[in-house]
Amino acid sequence: MLLTARATCTALIVAAGRGSRFGGPLPKQYALLGGQPVLRRTLAALRAAPGIGRMQVVIAPGDEAHYQASAASFDLPPPVLGGQSRQQSVLNGLETTRE
């Protein structure tokens, strides 16, 4: 199916990982890149993409403060909490898109 200008998709941003291979004091999605958290840059890029009508972010339990700082000024639904694996985190996020 081709997207048209009127079509909308939900972007599911799975940001619940720990980024252990990345290193550093924060998970990589909250690390600064050019003065902004990587997650904020991702949200801005997706907001500008045609055809995306909704964004849903999945975060790790305990990352709420980092998420709020990264997503400030974006009008987003509450984040979904991830699971014990990436697969579970994706499923948790997908379950919110059924509506």
Side-chain angles (χ1 to χ4, degrees):
M1 176 178 149
L2 295 174
L3 288 179
T4 65
R6 293 179 13 176
T8 59
C9 295
T10 297
L12 183 62
I13 301 102
V14 183
R18 299 292 75 198
S20 57
R21 290 179 292 173
F22 177 74
L26 295 172
K28 65 184 168 189
Q29 61 270 33
Y30 304 114
L32 297 182
L33 177 63
Q36 294 184 340
V38 171
L39 178 58
R40 183 167 192 77
R41 291 177 159 276
T42 300
L43 294 172
L46 289 169
R47 174 62 38 94
I52 295 180
R54 179 174 183 245
M55 294 188 291
Q56 180 64 64
V57 182
V58 181
I59 65 170
D63 280 358
E64 291 84 359
H66 293 303
Y67 169 77
Q68 291 301 327
S70 297
S73 78
F74 286 93
D75 184 22
L76 298 173
V80 174
L81 295 181
Q84 292 293 320
S85 66
R86 183 163 186 84
Q87 291 84 358
Q88 186 62 54
S89 296
V90 170
L91 179 60
N92 291 356
L94 286 173
E95 286 178 341
T96 68
T97 66
R98 289 188 196 185
E99 303 162 358

